[in-house]
Amino acid sequence: MLRVAVVGSGPSGVYTAQNLVQLDPGVHVDVLDRLPCPYGLVRYGVAPDHEKIKSLQNNLRTILEHERVRFLGGVQVSPRGVPTERLRELYHAVVYCVGAATDRHLGIPGEDLPGSWSATQFVSWYSAHPDAVDDAFVRGTRSAVVIGAGNVAVDVTRMLARGAAELSPTDIPQGALSALAASPVTDIHMVARRGPSQGRFTTKELRELGGLPDTELVVDPDELAIDPAYADPAALPAVQRRNVEVLRGWGGAGSRGAGRSIWMRFFLRPVELLEEDGRVGAVLFERTEPDGRGGVRGTGRYETVEAQLVLRSVGYRGVPLDGLPFDEETCTVPHVQGRVLHGCFTVPGEYVAGWIKRGPTGVIGTNRPDAKETVTSLLEDASVLVRKEVPEDPVTALRAAGIEPVEWAGWQAIERAEATLGASLGRSVVKLADWESLLAAARAAS
């Protein structure tokens, strides 16, 4: 019997487990996660109003309920929890699917002012991540600036414009629902330093911005026209071409008749966050223009946009994991087809999949072939790996070290508690938003 630990229960981790049990009938897999809840960014990264994408949890659930797969939540792989070297002693092989745990910074003056956050922090708040802080994101905010042109930027822009009627049927935590329902935000500026043909959002996400109740969308045709591909997008890849066509249909000044306005801005590069009364009060942008090589250059012309809330959405980055090599340039773990690379050599038994392997690229489905490549490498090494003696049940060793994993029954108890909470509030399922509540619910199972 080959025992494998998969660290991370998001899509890449669960697809890794799926491939393992499908391709080898003798493999048993423990899926470990620092959190007591599975599903990773599907639970804590997909916007609450994206019910179709969130329903992917049902597919991941089927895999985690496989008879040779076991979920072990509340297990932190780190020197403070289970060190990587100890984990390697408990299993024949370990696959690290830890994602990209932090965000990229703008690197401009004023970025650390109160009211300036990463989009990741805002997403964690409205997704009920237990590490999130309720820092009154939208309290006293009339104007918000979202810096970025990807799907996460679109998500947080849309969530800022949503009302209680649209969010109440979702699983958004009650505190975030109440705050967004009472939000005084009237203007949301989504700003990109390049043009519409270089936006990284999908057309489906983009179109959603145009159908929000009581919200007008404002796009300046003059900004769109700076993009060389705007006049004739025929040569663009399909997604970018559709994006430009959607934006061309929206080009106009807006009527200001709606309760909120979303301003889609292009060719503006943030230069500085400006202070007002001890917090961010505006963003200074420099107008950019195409440089003829696919990038942009500054023009020396500047514009100030009022903002009491600034959310940067300029990409994720991986962080080093103790005991593993790390490439500071790509923010990934060096590997050869998923085998972790120490210097010039691979070490049988250590593998990576997902964003920590390839960087924060692709969509959820990209994790399927990525996981299969890693699993193929692991199973090619199986005849060597299985020679190592490991404990009959690693959970016994974890408990001896003072770690009490949240097993599947504990997760099911959390789900029941969230359904009960929702019913008490006259809603459907409502997420528990803090560690104490999650762990108390999980303990109820035992």
Side-chain angles (χ1 to χ4, degrees), residues 28 71 80 84 139 143 156 168 176 193 262 273 284 302 352 367 371 376 420 432 441:
H28 285 249
F71 173 70
R80 294 174 296 172
T84 52
R139 187 181 302 159
S143 178
V156 298
S168 185
R193 65 185 178 88
I262 294 174
L273 305 192
L284 177 65
Y302 295 88
V352 285
N367 291 295
T376 299
T420 300
L432 299 174

Side-chain angles (χ1 to χ4, degrees), residues 265 268 272 274 281-286 302-307:
R265 306 295 308 277
L268 290 172
E272 183 178 358
L274 304 177
V283 184
L284 177 65
F285 289 97
E286 181 183 16
Y302 295 88
E303 177 179 336
T304 301
V305 177
E306 177 192 356

Side-chain angles (χ1 to χ4, degrees), residues 56-96:
L56 176 64
Q57 292 182 12
N58 296 326
N59 297 333
L60 302 180
R61 171 189 294 276
T62 300
I63 299 165
L64 290 173
E65 289 180 335
H66 189 281
E67 61 182 358
R68 287 184 284 119
V69 176
R70 179 169 56 174
F71 173 70
L72 301 176
V75 179
Q76 182 171 356
V77 179
S78 75
R80 294 174 296 172
V82 183
T84 52
E85 59 268 23
R86 178 56 175 154
L87 198 62
R88 285 285 291 111
E89 294 170 356
L90 300 177
Y91 294 89
H92 293 110
V94 180
V95 186
Y96 298 94

Side-chain angles (χ1 to χ4, degrees), residues 382-438:
S383 60
V384 174
L385 299 173
V386 78
R387 297 173 191 168
K388 185 176 75 172
E389 289 191 17
V390 297
E392 184 175 342
D393 187 358
V395 170
T396 303
L398 293 175
R399 288 180 175 144
I403 298 168
E404 188 59 46
V406 175
E407 299 193 56
W408 195 248
W411 160 239
Q412 290 176 312
I414 291 172
E415 289 185 302
R416 290 193 296 271
E418 293 183 336
T420 300
L421 174 60
S424 73
L425 295 169
R427 298 173 56 196
S428 55
V429 171
V430 174
K431 284 181 181 176
L432 299 174
D434 61 272
W435 279 99
E436 184 179 353
S437 299
L438 288 167

